[in-house]
Amino acid sequence: LREAEKQKGVSPTIYAMRGLSAAGKTQAVKRIDGVIIEDGETVGALSPDTAKRDLFAVSGGVTDQIHKESGSIRRRVEGAMKLFALADEISDIRDSVMKDNVDIELVIQDAEETNRRLVMIDIDVPLEVSATILLLRPKGGADPNPNPSYLSRAFESIRGNRARAIEQLKEAFK
């Protein structure tokens, strides 16, 4: 990714994908020029989905706990990525729900502290579309299956916080 950006004269960037589960975030990531895809998976994208697969296998499918644990793992990896970004010019992709304004604040803070651009891509889909796609996914498969109550809360939070998220971005990058 960084090599493709260098060829175009683009400075190091955080690409932050925000949206519901099954909204198409991962598919959008695959369309970013320079993203490496191996075996259908993006290489180097920070996505809690990867951890969810492993957590599902060891937990017996306790989805609420899986969602919390994978989010915690994602935040730790993002912290480590900040250290790499401070030491070297790197870009990263964050593929996550980012339902709360604190998530937006953290990604803005990371961009500012590491002197990187921030490209926020907010993918909005109706709750019914996301729920339908999730219901069609096999349980324990390659893609996550958050429970309906989490999905509903995330939808309400994303929609309810969207105006504030836009303001946060405007304020940060005047």
Side-chain angles (χ1 to χ4, degrees), residues 31-171:
R31 290 185 172 86
I32 296 173
D33 189 33
V35 168
I36 299 169
I37 301 172
E38 292 179 2
D39 298 324
E41 296 289 331
T42 53
V43 175
L46 303 177
S47 172
D49 293 353
T50 308
K52 286 177 188 172
R53 287 181 211 124
D54 295 335
L55 291 169
F56 189 89
V58 298
S59 74
V62 183
T63 57
D64 281 342
Q65 189 62 30
I66 289 170
H67 221 72
K68 290 174 188 170
E69 293 292 333
S70 65
S72 176
I73 291 168
R74 175 186 54 87
R75 284 186 291 281
R76 288 183 196 151
V77 171
E78 287 171 359
M81 289 299 292
K82 186 189 301 188
L83 296 175
F84 286 116
L86 288 168
D88 194 11
E89 288 191 345
I90 65 164
S91 292
D92 67 65
I93 300 168
R94 308 204 180 169
D95 175 352
S96 179
V97 174
M98 290 191 221
K99 63 182 178 57
D100 299 315
N101 290 110
V102 68
D103 297 322
I104 306 299
E105 199 64 47
L106 288 172
V107 77
I108 289 170
Q109 182 180 357
D110 281 359
E112 289 173 342
E113 290 177 359
T114 58
N115 198 30
R116 292 185 285 172
R117 293 181 328 134
L118 174 60
V119 175
M120 175 72 70
I121 301 169
D122 188 336
I123 300 176
D124 185 36
V125 298
L127 178 59
E128 298 82 4
V129 170
S130 181
T132 300
I133 293 168
L134 291 172
L135 287 171
L136 295 173
R137 286 180 176 173
K139 296 285 183 215
D143 295 311
N145 300 91
N147 70 40
S149 65
Y150 171 82
L151 187 66
S152 178
R153 289 189 314 270
F155 177 79
E156 290 171 6
S157 183
I158 289 171
R159 287 276 176 100
N161 294 330
R162 182 163 285 127
R164 176 66 189 126
I166 291 168
E167 286 304 312
Q168 285 175 287
L169 291 163
K170 285 180 181 178
E171 289 171 21

